[in-house]
Every structure is written in C-alpha cells, then in structure tokens.
Amino acid sequence: VNCSIRGRGNTTWWWPKKPYLIKLDQKEHIFGMHKHKRWVLLANFMDRTLMRNLVSMKVSSFTSLDWTPGCVPVELVLNGQHQGSYLLIEQVRVDNHRVAVTEMSPEDNSGEAVTGGYLLECDFHYDNEVQWTDPHGRNAQWGSGVPFGVKYPDPDEITPAQLSYIKGYVAETADVLYGENFTDPENGYAKYIDVDSFVDYWIVFEVMCNHELGNPGSVFMHKDRGGKLVAGPCWDFDWGVLSFSTSGGETALVNGRAIWYERLFQDPAFKAKVKARFEELLQQLQTIPDYMDACEALLRESAELNFQMWNPSDDRSQNGGSIINGDENLSFHDAVLRLKRNYEKHLQVMQEKL
C-alpha cells in the first residue's frame, strides 16, 4: 500500500530517534485494528523499557472510557534502514472507530447542531492553531489556568459560531465547577461533564504516575452533539511515567491537584466515586505486572537491537542535563523490573490514600 510519512511530536522530534505519522493512500486494517488511513509510529526513545505507552493503553482498556487507541510493537525499516523498536498506534482523530463524536459541517452553527462534536486538547505546548486559556483550574506549568485547543473541527473548517459555542461551554463548565454550588446534583458540575469518564481518566493517569495530567500535556476531552464534556482518550505516556524522581509517586498521589481535579476532589461524592471505581478495577490492575513480564518476553530481542542503535540517556538534552525516567542507564531487564516494582508500590499508595 502506498503511503506518505512525516515527522511528528514536540520534544520527541528533537531526539535522535524520530516519531512519525503515516498516511496510507486508502484505509487499511493493520494487525487487526480498525481500518484507517492515519497511524502513528511512536519512537519510545527515552523509554528503556519500551513499554510505558503499551502498558498504559492496557490499563486504559480496563476502564469504560469511550475509546483507547489500539497499539502493537513493531520493527521499523525506513528507506531500507532498520530504525529499531517502535509502537504502531492509532492516531487520536474523530472517526466512527476512534473518537466517535458527530462529524460537523460548516452549516452546523445553531441549535442542537452547534453542540457537537468537538475534540479538545489541553497542552502547555500551545501548538494547536485554535487555542485559548481558561482562567480556572490548576496548571503545574504556570500555577493557574488550563490551556485548551480544538483538534476537531479542523482549524481551517471550524466556524466562528462553533468556536464561540465550545469556548462558551468550557467557560460555563469551569464557572460552575468553581462556583459556590458546584456539588449540586442537578445544576452543579455533573450537569456539564460526564463524571464517570473523568473518574476513569484520572485513575489511568494516577495508576501510571503520569504527572502530565497536571502540566497538562496531551490531555484530551471530547463532546458529542447534545452531550456533556467527556474525558479521554489517553495518549502519550512516556515522560516520567512510573518514575518517582519525576512525579513523587512513591509515597503520595501524583494528580490530586491536576487541572480541574483539585476542585473535583473537594466534592466528597466525587472522591467516593473515585475510591469505589478504583476498588472495582483493582483486581484487573493487579494483573499488570504479569502483563509487563509478557511484554518483556515479546520485546527482548527487539530491545537488544534497538539499544545498539539508540541511547535513551541522550534524553537529558531536553531535561536540563538530567535523565528523565531514571532507568535510561539500566539494562532492559533491570528497567522492566524497576517499572514493575514502582507500579506495585504506587498501587499500594493508591489503596492507602484514596
């Protein structure tokens, strides 16, 4: 199948091993995943375990989030040259089999039609063409305000009326959330957000010690026509995931103050819902160490070849001279052992703190 390929990513593009976006000439099934033209090859350059994203998507698949990107580890050969181990993953896009919100047209400017669908990204890089900062909420980068960007409708297709609507909806949601009667079951925040999705989304980030929920970076929400704001999908779980030196998750929760969650956790009903949902998922979450072992067996040969080509400790060039995950100089096996130990330790922390 013919395709085009280009580079992608923010920080990751500046590392030696490059991530790529693939666009096929026609929709194709790949490794049993739903047909699509667009796919992403994540380089996992900084990840000595090669499995942080893979494991995170497995955890996400345990939840009731609307969609978790399918992914498969692959060997990339580009222009006849072996480039190492990559993760082929479904791109976050609006589609019936991905983010399945109603597709908009330029005529959808009023009434029910203008209410959806939308795909939003909260990202401190501010690299979306259509973006703004809502003054409410906590942002670890600057202290307050949450950066929102519109991923769908596309920047060259979204109309002024559509942009005005979704900015207004986000603003009204935040106003109510930070208002005096935010816990009201009928007119409080639950009127505007799908609470169950926000619970599950937080659990995935917390289980994986991914502090990017609070930066925020690659944090997604979507809204269908006539519906509430829904959290997800999960994406980009490599920087600092299950690394206590980055997130401080060895003895405490990582994301209790992230974006809108600091306020949500001030509602006893929300906190109780998170605790109950975590306990419901715990048996499945406890299978992840075995999954890590299976991933290690699958990736062992790939890792050996990959690390003959790439040195993940070079990631310190993007981190003030320090390595990021803390396992970059370990062997592949020892890095996986560390990941597994940290996972089990933080799962225990969550049981104690929630």
Side-chain angles (χ1 to χ4, degrees):
V1 177
N2 291 327
C3 71
S4 57
I5 184 168
R6 66 173 177 82
R8 66 170 305 279
N10 289 304
T11 303
T12 52
W13 179 248
W14 298 103
W15 284 326
K17 186 185 179 192
K18 308 296 186 183
Y20 298 104
L21 174 69
I22 299 173
K23 184 180 179 182
L24 306 178
D25 284 356
Q26 61 188 48
K27 291 184 177 182
E28 294 288 346
H29 293 289
I30 302 183
F31 296 113
M33 293 180 279
H34 285 290
K35 272 188 176 184
H36 210 282
K37 288 184 178 181
R38 294 179 184 270
W39 304 82
V40 172
L41 285 163
L42 295 179
N44 290 327
F45 170 71
M46 61 189 285
D47 184 4
R48 178 65 78 170
T49 75
L50 297 176
M51 66 177 71
R52 282 178 164 88
N53 275 302
L54 187 61
V55 170
S56 300
M57 295 307 113
K58 183 69 171 180
V59 170
S60 178
S61 74
F62 293 158
T63 72
S64 59
L65 291 173
D66 285 349
W67 174 68
T68 296
C71 53
V72 177
V74 297
E75 299 300 305
L76 176 63
V77 177
L78 183 62
N79 297 327
Q81 295 292 317
H82 182 211
Q83 301 294 319
S85 178
Y86 277 73
L87 188 68
L88 178 71
I89 188 167
E90 295 178 294
Q91 187 186 24
V92 176
R93 289 184 67 84
V94 169
D95 181 85
N96 287 339
H97 298 297
R98 294 186 178 180
V99 181
V101 296
T102 304
E103 295 191 19
M104 301 281 277
S105 78
E107 289 71 44
D108 294 332
N109 292 311
S110 62
E112 183 83 350
V114 77
T115 67
Y118 298 93
L119 173 62
L120 306 177
E121 181 183 24
C122 302
D123 197 305
F124 73 91
H125 293 99
Y126 278 96
D127 59 349
N128 289 294
E129 291 183 42
V130 179
Q131 57 196 12
W132 70 96
T133 301
D134 187 89
H136 299 87
R138 182 173 179 82
N139 183 333
Q141 288 286 319
W142 303 291
S144 64
V146 178
F148 280 89
V150 179
K151 303 296 286 188
Y152 181 86
D154 293 338
D156 57 347
E157 294 181 356
I158 191 169
T159 68
Q162 291 165 0
L163 179 57
S164 176
Y165 171 81
I166 193 58
K167 286 181 71 174
Y169 190 93
V170 168
E172 186 174 357
T173 301
D175 283 343
V176 170
L177 178 60
Y178 287 86
E180 186 177 345
N181 298 314
F182 77 110
T183 62
D184 186 283
E186 290 188 9
N187 295 307
Y189 68 84
K191 180 179 178 181
Y192 298 88
I193 70 170
D194 181 272
V195 178
D196 289 344
S197 71
F198 275 78
V199 168
D200 278 6
Y201 198 59
W202 184 88
I203 287 173
V204 177
F205 274 82
E206 187 61 38
V207 163
M208 298 305 297
C209 277
N210 186 353
H211 69 288
E212 293 282 75
L213 186 59
N215 259 13
S218 299
V219 170
F220 288 95
M221 303 178 192
H222 56 282
K223 183 186 182 303
D224 204 357
R225 186 162 295 176
K228 301 177 183 182
L229 204 57
V230 180
C234 293
W235 182 258
D236 193 16
F237 279 66
D238 59 355
W239 186 294
V241 165
L242 291 174
S243 171
F244 297 149
S245 59
T246 303
S247 63
E250 190 168 10
T251 59
L253 298 178
V254 174
N255 289 301
R257 301 178 71 188
I259 55 171
W260 289 345
Y261 284 100
E262 182 173 32
R263 182 62 164 166
L264 287 167
F265 274 108
Q266 291 174 16
D267 178 11
F270 182 83
K271 187 172 182 178
K273 190 179 277 280
V274 171
K275 179 178 174 62
R277 181 61 168 151
F278 173 70
E279 290 173 351
E280 183 181 350
L281 292 171
L282 184 57
Q283 188 172 354
Q284 284 179 289
L285 294 172
Q286 288 170 333
T287 68
I288 287 296
D290 288 341
Y291 180 71
M292 290 178 179
D293 288 340
C295 289
E296 180 183 6
L298 175 68
L299 292 166
R300 188 173 292 118
E301 185 176 352
S302 178
E304 183 178 350
L305 296 171
N306 184 81
F307 296 127
Q308 288 172 11
M309 290 181 274
W310 310 110
N311 178 8
S313 68
D314 287 346
D315 66 4
R316 57 179 171 260
S317 65
Q318 297 289 327
N319 196 44
S322 300
I323 59 174
I324 291 167
N325 285 324
D327 58 13
E328 286 88 331
N329 290 317
L330 298 180
S331 69
F332 172 63
H333 176 67
D334 286 347
V336 174
L337 280 179
R338 177 179 178 269
L339 193 75
K340 189 162 54 172
R341 274 198 309 269
N342 287 358
Y343 179 88
E344 291 169 334
K345 197 174 292 185
H346 194 63
L347 214 56
Q348 184 63 39
V349 168
M350 290 182 69
Q351 291 175 70
E352 294 169 358
K353 300 294 184 182
L354 284 179

